[in-house]
Amino acid sequence: MKKHSISLLSAIFILIVSVVVSNHLLAQNKPKTDSLKNVKQTKIVEVTPAVDVVDSVLINNPKVTLFKANGVASYYAEKFNKRKTASGAIFDNNKLTAAHKKLPFGTVLRVTNPVNKKSVIVVVNDRGPYAKGREIDLSRKAFMSIATNKNSGVLKVTLEILVK
């Protein structure tokens, strides 16, 4: 019985020593917090990526091609909101989309008002406009973001195609 108690005591002793040694080794490998006090903190003020953003469509360094210099733009009436477009998407007047008679769906356009130099980037997802003399129908959000006169329903625009 004395043999078993001695071996049990030695096992406990070895266990205690190993725990103390491992704690000591872990303490040595910890980074010292004093050395972090002198690190200069930097605050990022603004990040300006070199991309054009269309809702969630990103185009890095787009190639810009003039499509039409003196086009006439109008905007969708509110009655078309939540209806299906020719591409199958649901129209939303609060998104940056457009309708064009011939351009393929998914074409990304920069529409610029030459009077105030404001421009907006839209994605073609519908067909139209069907009124004579009009080149493009913009969503209300896109139209109002470039319009000089918010009470007008049409304006002259420059259309440029953005390609990846």
Side-chain angles (χ1 to χ4, degrees):
M1 184 125 167
K2 284 186 177 182
K3 262 188 174 180
H4 292 289
S5 62
I6 293 175
S7 64
L8 183 60
L9 284 176
S10 10
I12 292 173
F13 177 76
I14 292 171
L15 181 64
I16 292 172
V17 168
S18 64
V19 169
V20 170
V21 169
S22 65
N23 283 343
H24 179 69
L25 291 174
L26 287 173
Q28 286 180 341
N29 291 334
K30 270 189 182 175
K32 294 182 180 178
T33 54
D34 296 340
S35 64
L36 297 177
K37 287 181 182 176
N38 296 327
V39 175
K40 185 178 179 184
Q41 292 183 356
T42 342
K43 183 178 180 185
I44 298 174
V45 178
E46 183 179 340
V47 177
T48 309
V51 296
D52 285 312
V53 180
V54 184
D55 283 342
S56 59
V57 178
L58 295 178
I59 300 176
N60 290 311
N61 303 322
K63 178 183 169 192
V64 180
T65 307
L66 179 64
F67 181 73
K68 185 139 190 181
N70 290 315
V72 177
S74 56
Y75 66 91
Y76 282 84
E78 196 60 39
K79 70 179 184 179
F80 294 107
N81 211 24
K82 306 295 181 211
R83 289 188 184 177
K84 216 177 227 188
T85 65
S87 68
I90 301 298
F91 175 70
D92 185 347
N93 242 337
N94 295 313
K95 293 202 174 184
L96 300 175
T97 58
H100 193 272
K101 291 175 196 133
K102 296 180 182 175
L103 288 172
F105 297 133
T107 302
V108 181
L109 296 171
R110 179 168 42 205
V111 183
T112 305
N113 180 347
V115 174
N116 61 10
K117 307 290 188 234
K118 287 184 177 180
S119 62
V120 65
I121 298 172
V122 296
V123 176
V124 175
N125 73 345
D126 202 5
R127 291 289 171 235
Y130 297 109
K132 189 176 179 182
R134 299 204 186 148
E135 183 70 28
I136 191 166
D137 259 343
L138 300 172
S139 65
R140 185 174 178 84
K141 179 178 180 178
F143 185 90
M144 292 303 168
S145 69
I146 62 172
T148 307
N149 180 358
K150 306 290 185 197
N151 295 322
S152 174
V154 294
L155 60 102
K156 291 217 181 238
V157 294
T158 301
L159 301 174
E160 298 168 299
I161 298 175
L162 303 179
V163 183
K164 291 180 185 180

